């Protein structure tokens, strides 16, 4: 069975699993090579600096790399020290870059759901917008799904939200936890009362439908 981790900050524990490593422009620990392994790359709201124009130029260059299969994580975060209007501008530019590149957008959102929905309504994107690490309740999940978002879940999640996203708007991830994506799959399958085989087959189909990568090539880029 194939296991897909669509948002991770650590390499896969099992080398057979397919992992999309997140790279943050402006975070020296993560902004390194964009070649050799599937990755997403973006300007996180925690790492927006005064030289944001320079950050965006580096992002535009990185997105051209064949190993980059998504833009982000881009985001809106009301707990960040960066003013929300600046965050919104940087987010909109990254969303536009995702449109131009034809690559999905990975989203970080904290307490800014109304603003995020307004951005989507304004932009009317064609590429998928995926909210990573979603821990909101079922009501919020339904609102977001109605607007066309995808939801990605890590090891802790709201069961009603998970059920709302199942089957075709759901992904799995480890985020910044040094855990095995297979354990996340097992928790999701148990919560949905389905077999692990059914979950893996469905998530593989979702990955094939959304991400521009060869799902049979593991983490190697050809």
């Amino acid at each position: 069975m194939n296991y897909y981790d669509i948002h991770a900050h650590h390499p896969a524990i099992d080398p057979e699993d397919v992992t999309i490593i997140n790279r943050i422009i402006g975070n020296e620990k993560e902004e390194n090579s964009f070649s050799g392994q599937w990755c997403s790359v973006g300007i996180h709201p925690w790492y927006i600096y005064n030289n944001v124009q320079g950050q965006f130029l580096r992002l535009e260059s990185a997105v051209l790399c064949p190993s980059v299969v998504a833009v982000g994580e881009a985001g809106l975060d009301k707990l960040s020290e960066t003013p929300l209007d600046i965050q919104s501008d940087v987010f909109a530019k990254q969303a536009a870059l995702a449109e131009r590149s034809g690559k999905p957008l990975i989203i970080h959102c904290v307490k800014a759901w109304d603003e995020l929905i307004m951005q989507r309504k304004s932009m009317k994107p064609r590429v998928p917008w995926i909210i990573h690490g979603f821990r909101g309740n079922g009501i919020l999940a339904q609102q977001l799904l109605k607007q066309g978002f995808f939801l990605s879940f890590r090891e802790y999640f709201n069961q009603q939200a998970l059920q709302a996203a199942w089957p075709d708007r759901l992904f799995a991830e480890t985020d910044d936890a040094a855990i095995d994506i297979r354990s996340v799959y097992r928790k999701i399958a148990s919560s949905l009362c389905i077999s692990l085989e059914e979950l893996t087959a469905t998530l593989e189909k979702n990955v094939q439908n959304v991400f521009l990568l060869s799902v049979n090539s593991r983490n190697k880029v050809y």
Side-chain angles (χ1 to χ4, degrees), residues 2 21 31 51 57 65 94 103-104 117 140 146 157 184 196 205 218 221:
N2 295 329
I21 299 291
E31 187 186 347
N51 66 333
L57 288 174
C65 183
Q94 291 184 87
K103 297 178 180 181
I117 290 172
L140 177 59
K146 185 178 180 180
F157 49 77
V184 180
L196 189 58
K205 181 177 69 174
R218 303 297 181 185
V221 179

Side-chain angles (χ1 to χ4, degrees), residues 4-221:
Y4 299 91
D5 185 346
I6 69 117
H7 184 84
H9 293 256
H10 303 280
I13 291 177
D14 190 318
E16 289 296 301
D17 297 337
V18 180
T19 303
I20 299 175
I21 299 291
N22 186 68
R23 306 293 191 195
I24 297 175
I25 298 291
N27 181 349
E28 293 182 358
K29 293 182 179 179
E30 295 192 357
E31 187 186 347
N32 43 42
S33 174
F34 302 114
S35 63
Q37 184 172 23
W38 304 124
C39 62
S40 59
V41 59
I43 304 172
H44 192 287
W46 296 355
Y47 296 94
I48 297 174
Y49 299 125
N50 292 333
N51 66 333
V52 66
Q53 184 175 358
Q55 287 181 276
F56 195 75
L57 288 174
R58 298 203 302 277
L59 175 59
E60 286 184 308
S61 177
V63 167
L64 297 176
C65 183
S67 62
V68 175
V69 296
V71 176
E73 56 191 288
L76 301 173
D77 188 334
K78 289 188 176 179
L79 299 183
S80 171
E81 295 180 359
T82 304
L84 192 61
D85 60 334
I86 295 176
Q87 292 186 45
S88 296
D89 181 61
V90 174
F91 178 89
K93 288 179 178 177
Q94 291 184 87
L97 179 59
E99 284 292 298
R100 294 197 301 273
S101 66
K103 297 178 180 181
L105 183 68
I106 306 293
I107 297 170
H108 165 101
C109 186
V110 177
K111 300 183 182 296
W113 301 109
D114 290 341
E115 291 83 356
L116 178 62
I117 290 172
M118 287 178 61
Q119 286 266 19
R120 183 171 175 84
K121 287 181 175 179
S122 174
M123 298 194 71
K124 298 179 175 60
R126 294 169 298 167
V127 300
W129 284 21
I130 305 163
I131 299 171
H132 95 85
F134 186 75
R135 295 183 65 178
N137 61 32
I139 294 174
L140 177 59
Q142 290 282 9
Q143 292 173 342
L144 294 167
L145 293 165
K146 185 178 180 180
Q147 296 299 326
F149 290 93
F150 291 77
L151 304 179
S152 180
F153 298 87
R154 50 181 294 179
E155 59 180 329
Y156 302 111
F157 49 77
N158 178 283
Q159 184 174 5
Q160 285 71 40
L162 186 77
Q163 291 172 335
W166 174 256
D168 58 352
R169 294 296 182 91
L170 187 150
F171 293 103
E173 65 177 78
T174 57
D175 196 11
D176 58 356
I179 59 174
D180 192 339
I181 188 60
R182 297 171 184 231
S183 67
V184 180
Y185 269 60
R186 288 192 290 269
K187 289 189 70 172
I188 291 176
S190 176
S191 182
L192 291 172
C193 298
I194 61 174
S195 68
L196 189 58
E197 290 77 12
E198 182 179 359
L199 178 66
T200 54
T202 300
L203 295 193
E204 180 168 19
K205 181 177 69 174
N206 292 350
V207 168
Q208 290 175 328
N209 289 340
V210 169
F211 290 93
L212 299 177
L213 57 84
S214 171
V215 295
N216 294 318
S217 63
R218 303 297 181 185
N219 289 334
K220 296 180 180 179
V221 179

